[in-house]
Amino acid sequence: MNTFPLFFKLETRKVLIVGGGDVALRKADLLSRAGACITVLAPSIDHDIEALLSDSKHQLIYENYNKSYMSGARIIIAATDEETLNHQIHADATERNIPVNVVDTPHLCDFIFPAIVDRNPIVIGISSNGKAPVLARLLRARLETLIPQGYGKLAKLAGEFRSEVKAKIPTLTGRRQFWERAFEGKVSELMFAGNEDQASALLKSDLDTTAAAIGNSSTASETAPVTSVAKAMLNNDASQANATEQHLSTQSEQSAQSAQTEMGEVYIVGAGPGDPELLTFKALRLMQQADIVYYDALVSPQVLDLCRRDADKVYVGKKRSNHAVAQLGINELLVNSAKTGRRVVRLKGGDPFIFGRGGEEIESLRAHGVPYQVVPGITAANAAASYAGIPLTHRDHSQSVRFVTGFLKAGAPNSNFKSFLNTDETLVFYMGLHSLPRLTEGLIDAGRSADTPIAIVSNASMPNQQVLTGTLDNIVAQQAEAQLPTPALLIMGDVVSLQDDLAWYNQKKPLDSQHNNQRNGQHTHDTARNWLRGGVANTDKAHADKNHYNHKQPTDARSTDQQAHALSMVANLAAADDDLQELVVS
């Protein structure tokens, strides 16, 4: 090790910072969190530092550097941009045996400010010894995602019980096993879920049960003429004594566990649309501590791979007319697994409460007294729209969005077409691909324009994502040719007309791009689709209505304002770059 990691207690201790700029502000912010009494010495001090250190325990000295102000300092930070002055501060601090840090000058630093993960009282410091501070910050960011904030609360709870645990569990091994059980089991999960009082009560109960089991074991041992531990000690056999102590500790641990029939817990987790990077931190944490995982057909292999390696993984997927396990059977599996004390993850594609039947599952869990948590996921509608470049709402096109299922209870088709006629609303159909002909025909018959834009998004967010756009009148024929697979969603409304311009994800085109665009009336160079070229005002209105799904265009005034703004930006760009020979706006 080039440096040895230490943690300084700075609460109520004086820390001197020489310098009053941005660097000094960053250091003062960190040190103030540790409770330090900060003295800032500089002829000019930033207003943000003044606001941060307004407490009377801090001191701001608007003077040039003078070594006399080092008196009583626990540590010193040189945060100036003057190299000569920084060397002088280092020399003066070294002469007084006060640790000093000269910012961004590793060879003049007695200590290093690490990248910090703060889960008070748990604190993690990461240092590259000044070689790669950006890398240290990146590592810190990764740890931030893996260590929930609840660990700090868990550590505080442990601190409250530490003395009592030491008094009631006499062996080191017994105490270690007790804390491991608390930190890896129900106590920690209650704390992470915000149920602090329940976590404290459960820890207290476990401690009392463990202490009682140890007491019973000790009483039984006292009835024997000489205990095995005593024999070993009399024979001066330390290793045998240690082994026997561990055996007794294990016996008491088993007695404590057998005295409790602890119920497991079910975590109903939204796995999102398929891209594992779209999982929440909480979902990932629970997946990695599961004993058994029940997953459905929409969970991607990449997401499933993030579950705990040695967890049992059971497929309970349901596809159209092909249910591996009926819903009532899934409910029973969750209840029975939890009653054996297992931590159960029910992994669902998308979000559990949006056509995921999560409500039915927690009704069953609640009826059987099984504790549970629900972790939301990114629903398929949000993912499909975002990755396809189709905003679900837009000021000029749609003021609301509705999620609709293609099939109702018992497989009955959703035929409520009269309620889907609002042109200011975006509709997202789940489970609608197989009933596409019925949906489009029913919508048109109910009065929806045949020119209404509609999109099919298949495998949203995944590398094999495909997007097919058309109208109610022609989407069935296009899908018959393209054959986009499930899982897929339908998005209908004027916002779909924006897809060709806003698509950003490296999506696979189901048809030849140019051919597909022409079939849909989406001509890349059509002036009616580009307000910078004049918008609808500069084209034949009837032609625009025919070829562009009647989507709403900005008013002439707004279009003019937007053009003026854009042209102003172009002029500023040209003026700012003397070497600019040609600027092409396509």
Side-chain angles (χ1 to χ4, degrees):
M1 290 184 290
N2 293 330
T3 55
F4 189 81
L6 296 171
F7 290 87
F8 277 73
K9 283 188 175 182
L10 294 178
E11 189 167 5
T12 70
R13 302 300 297 271
K14 176 182 176 180
V15 173
L16 175 65
I17 300 177
V18 182
D22 289 339
V23 175
L25 173 62
R26 292 198 298 271
K27 302 305 181 186
D29 183 36
L30 283 173
L31 292 164
S32 65
R33 299 182 198 181
C37 298
I38 301 170
T39 297
V40 177
L41 174 63
S44 176
I45 299 176
D46 190 278
H47 293 303
D48 289 335
I49 296 178
E50 295 174 335
L52 175 68
L53 304 182
S54 58
D55 191 287
S56 59
K57 72 176 184 178
H58 305 301
Q59 187 177 15
L60 305 180
I61 302 174
Y62 297 85
E63 297 180 10
N64 290 318
Y65 168 72
N66 188 312
K67 62 183 179 182
S68 63
Y69 289 111
M70 289 186 175
S71 177
R74 184 69 182 85
I75 60 173
I76 296 170
I77 294 95
T80 81
D81 54 5
E82 299 179 28
E83 184 177 353
T84 302
L85 177 57
N86 287 338
H87 276 80
Q88 184 60 53
I89 295 169
H90 175 266
D92 293 341
T94 300
E95 181 182 349
R96 289 164 174 75
N97 291 319
I98 303 174
V100 61
N101 175 282
V102 179
V103 179
D104 290 335
T105 314
H107 69 280
L108 294 181
C109 293
D110 296 324
F111 64 93
I112 294 172
F113 279 88
I116 296 172
V117 179
D118 185 4
R119 299 290 184 269
N120 183 41
I122 301 295
V123 179
I124 301 171
I126 306 164
S127 172
S128 67
N129 287 291
K131 306 298 183 184
V134 173
L135 179 58
R137 289 196 294 270
L138 290 174
L139 289 173
R140 184 208 67 185
R142 179 162 296 187
L143 288 176
E144 290 276 9
T145 68
L146 298 176
I147 304 173
Q149 293 286 343
Y151 274 111
K153 296 179 180 179
L154 189 60
K156 290 177 182 176
L157 178 66
E160 295 171 4
F161 278 84
R162 187 178 181 189
S163 297
E164 188 176 355
V165 169
K166 188 174 182 180
K168 291 184 176 181
I169 305 178
T171 65
L172 287 173
T173 302
R175 291 196 291 271
R176 175 182 58 78
Q177 291 172 342
F178 172 82
W179 286 121
E180 285 177 351
R181 187 164 67 252
F183 294 151
E184 296 179 355
K186 184 68 175 177
V187 171
S188 65
E189 201 48 54
L190 285 170
M191 187 62 72
F192 293 151
N195 300 321
E196 298 176 26
D197 291 340
Q198 293 181 42
S200 180
L202 181 58
L203 188 63
K204 174 66 173 174
S205 175
D206 191 12
L207 176 58
D208 291 342
T209 302
T210 302
I214 292 173
N216 293 335
S217 177
S218 299
T219 300
S221 299
E222 289 171 0
T223 62
V226 183
T227 67
S228 55
V229 174
K231 287 180 179 179
M233 294 298 287
L234 288 170
N235 295 329
N236 199 27
D237 188 346
S239 62
Q240 177 63 32
N242 183 57
T244 307
E245 178 190 10
Q246 291 187 16
H247 175 69
L248 287 175
S249 178
T250 301
Q251 281 188 326
S252 65
E253 163 71 9
Q254 291 171 346
S255 299
Q257 288 181 336
S258 63
Q260 306 178 71
T261 54
E262 186 175 325
M263 174 78 76
E265 187 169 10
V266 175
Y267 314 127
I268 300 179
V269 176
D275 183 350
E277 292 189 1
L278 297 180
L279 286 169
T280 64
F281 294 157
K282 186 170 186 178
L284 183 61
R285 175 173 58 82
L286 295 178
M287 288 162 58
Q288 291 180 343
Q289 41 182 75
D291 299 312
I292 187 168
V293 179
Y294 294 105
Y295 66 98
D296 67 23
L298 297 178
V299 176
S300 69
Q302 296 91 327
V303 169
L304 192 62
D305 282 345
L306 295 176
C307 293
R308 187 173 132 194
R309 292 293 181 188
D310 58 344
D312 294 329
K313 300 176 182 66
V314 181
Y315 175 71
V316 292
K318 298 190 292 293
K319 296 185 179 179
R320 190 176 66 99
S321 303
N322 181 18
H323 292 190
V325 182
Q327 186 61 53
L328 289 177
I330 295 173
N331 296 349
E332 187 176 350
L333 287 170
L334 298 179
V335 169
N336 291 341
S337 295
K339 284 186 175 180
T340 63
R342 306 182 85 181
R343 290 172 291 190
V344 184
V345 162
R346 173 68 173 107
L347 199 56
K348 294 173 168 289
D351 181 271
F353 278 11
I354 300 182
F355 304 122
R357 306 188 73 171
E360 298 171 46
E361 291 173 354
I362 66 172
E363 285 176 344
S364 174
L365 296 170
R366 191 175 185 86
H368 289 85
V370 176
Y372 61 86
Q373 297 183 45
V374 181
V375 182
I378 294 179
T379 186
N382 287 340
S386 298
Y387 275 68
I390 303 173
L392 291 176
T393 60
H394 189 284
R395 186 173 58 178
D396 297 325
H397 297 275
S398 174
Q399 285 71 55
S400 63
V401 59
R402 196 192 314 191
F403 298 162
V404 183
T405 178
F407 290 90
L408 305 176
K409 190 174 182 179
N414 189 348
S415 302
N416 192 21
F417 300 117
K418 287 291 185 182
S419 68
F420 303 149
L421 303 183
N422 184 2
T423 58
D424 291 328
E425 180 178 67
T426 302
L427 286 174
V428 181
F429 289 95
Y430 287 69
M431 299 166 284
L433 186 60
H434 291 293
S435 59
L436 183 62
R438 180 185 59 80
L439 286 173
T440 55
E441 182 179 348
L443 287 164
I444 293 173
D445 290 345
R448 196 73 191 247
S449 171
D451 290 332
T452 300
I454 187 169
I456 302 172
V457 184
S458 171
N459 290 304
S461 82
M462 300 299 289
N464 58 339
Q465 173 180 298
Q466 297 182 71
V467 180
L468 181 65
T469 59
T471 66
L472 287 178
D473 188 47
N474 65 24
I475 193 65
V476 172
Q478 291 197 61
Q479 169 61 4
E481 181 179 346
Q483 292 292 308
L484 267 63
T486 56
L489 273 77
L490 312 178
I491 304 176
M492 185 183 77
D494 286 348
V495 289
V496 175
S497 63
L498 303 172
Q499 192 271 336
D500 195 49
D501 288 336
L502 302 185
W504 61 272
Y505 189 58
N506 187 24
Q507 59 196 28
K508 176 182 177 183
K509 290 289 185 180
L511 300 173
D512 175 77
S513 179
Q514 181 178 358
H515 173 62
N516 191 33
N517 287 343
Q518 289 175 351
R519 288 185 60 164
N520 297 337
Q522 297 175 356
H523 301 284
T524 304
H525 299 291
D526 194 327
T527 58
R529 300 229 14 172
N530 194 322
W531 55 262
L532 185 57
R533 299 190 183 92
V536 173
N538 293 341
T539 64
D540 180 75
K541 182 67 167 63
H543 175 73
D545 287 346
K546 179 180 178 181
N547 287 313
H548 301 289
Y549 317 132
N550 293 319
H551 66 272
K552 299 178 181 63
Q553 294 288 343
T555 63
D556 289 348
R558 183 183 298 165
S559 179
T560 301
D561 290 342
Q562 290 173 329
Q563 293 173 51
H565 177 64
L567 292 173
S568 174
M569 291 173 61
V570 171
N572 290 336
L573 177 62
D577 192 342
D578 295 335
D579 296 328
L580 187 65
Q581 300 297 319
E582 182 180 18
L583 179 65
V584 178
V585 179
S586 60

